[in-house]
Amino acid sequence: MGEMKRHRLLLLIAAGLLVAGSGCAAKRIVSQWSNPDYANAPRVFKKIMVAGAFEHDAIRRNFEDRFVAALRAAGVDALPSYRLVADPRKDIEGSVKAAAQSAGADGVLVTRLTRVEQRTDVSPGYHQPYFGFGYYHWYHPGWYGGGYYTTPYYYQYPVYYSETTLSNAAKNEIVWTATIRMIDPENANRAIEDYVATVVTALKDNQLLPGTSPQGGSSPLHPKVANG
């Protein structure tokens, strides 16, 4: 029985590692669009207001602060929306853009959760044989054998889809938008850091921020494909 428990534990660990590995690999931009009118435009924005339309205020504030820090590091002034907007979920188009204009921001970067999917991974059971040597009726030596089956292991986890949109506050038009998928983030702070880095890299790749991508103009999460 101890051997069976040990094998089942190894199976559960393997299943967990499989899901964790797929989560790291699947944190990516699913789709994106960039306004062609802003292609190669010199220094598109001077100041960007960041808004996170999230239910929990602590997550929103951490998200906006980290995004502001990343944009400033990239060479663009930025400010969080929580200083001027109580809840951006109620009226993103009106309240956030009005606050941006009053703060002198020419760009607005809004992120919101669009949907959550529940997925299930299945690790199939397997047969574990065993053999031994013993005596029949205490005097006839012989081999014996058997085995046991482990039951399949089911692991359920959430997949989050969010949308980030960069708009021109003065012209009220979308400059860039993307849908990003993240699988079962266990740590909120780490998930925010990864998300911010993904978006900032994409904005640099599309030449909407000063500087170039650390990967030489191509992000590992969404590499550009050369024509021809």
Side-chain angles (χ1 to χ4, degrees):
M1 182 60 69
E3 185 69 13
M4 186 172 83
K5 288 183 177 180
R6 187 179 73 85
H7 281 281
R8 181 168 177 77
L9 178 61
L10 292 176
L11 179 65
L12 297 181
I13 294 175
L17 290 176
L18 177 63
V19 172
S22 65
C24 293
K27 189 183 303 176
R28 58 184 292 268
I29 290 183
V30 177
S31 63
Q32 65 173 313
W33 175 84
S34 184
N35 192 327
D37 293 339
Y38 290 82
N40 301 318
R43 195 172 180 84
V44 179
F45 297 107
K46 297 180 179 180
K47 190 175 186 179
I48 297 176
M49 172 172 282
V50 178
F54 303 123
E55 179 180 1
H56 300 287
D57 190 58
I59 293 179
R60 175 197 174 188
R61 289 172 178 264
N62 285 329
F63 181 85
E64 293 183 4
D65 284 342
R66 290 180 183 272
F67 234 126
V68 167
L71 290 174
R72 289 176 178 173
V76 178
D77 191 15
L79 74 158
S81 70
Y82 65 76
R83 295 178 180 174
L84 300 174
V85 181
D87 188 354
R89 296 177 300 162
K90 295 180 179 179
D91 184 15
I92 294 179
E93 297 298 326
S95 60
V96 174
K97 290 184 178 180
Q101 292 178 355
S102 66
D106 51 358
V108 176
L109 187 71
V110 177
T111 298
R112 52 187 149 191
L113 182 67
T114 56
R115 72 181 189 274
V116 180
E117 295 180 357
Q118 292 295 329
R119 296 188 181 180
T120 301
D121 280 353
V122 181
S123 178
Y126 70 97
H127 176 254
Q128 177 64 40
Y130 61 85
F131 301 95
F133 182 83
Y135 290 87
Y136 177 70
H137 281 252
W138 301 105
Y139 53 86
H140 284 299
W143 291 93
Y144 66 91
Y148 58 86
Y149 288 90
T150 61
T151 59
Y153 175 70
Y154 297 87
Y155 181 85
Q156 292 185 330
Y157 57 94
V159 179
Y160 298 88
Y161 289 87
S162 58
E163 180 184 79
T164 295
T165 301
L166 177 63
S167 301
N168 187 319
K171 296 183 178 181
N172 195 28
E173 62 183 10
I174 296 177
V175 177
W176 176 87
T177 185
T179 298
I180 299 176
R181 179 182 67 192
M182 296 187 70
I183 295 181
D184 194 15
E186 296 181 356
N187 184 285
N189 289 331
R190 177 62 184 273
I192 290 173
E193 290 179 1
D194 292 344
Y195 193 99
V196 170
T198 299
V199 173
V200 169
T201 299
L203 293 176
K204 287 183 177 181
D205 287 349
N206 287 276
Q207 300 181 2
L208 296 172
L209 293 178
T212 58
S213 169
Q215 288 78 28
S218 178
S219 166
L221 296 173
H222 46 92
K224 292 182 178 179
V225 179
N227 295 326

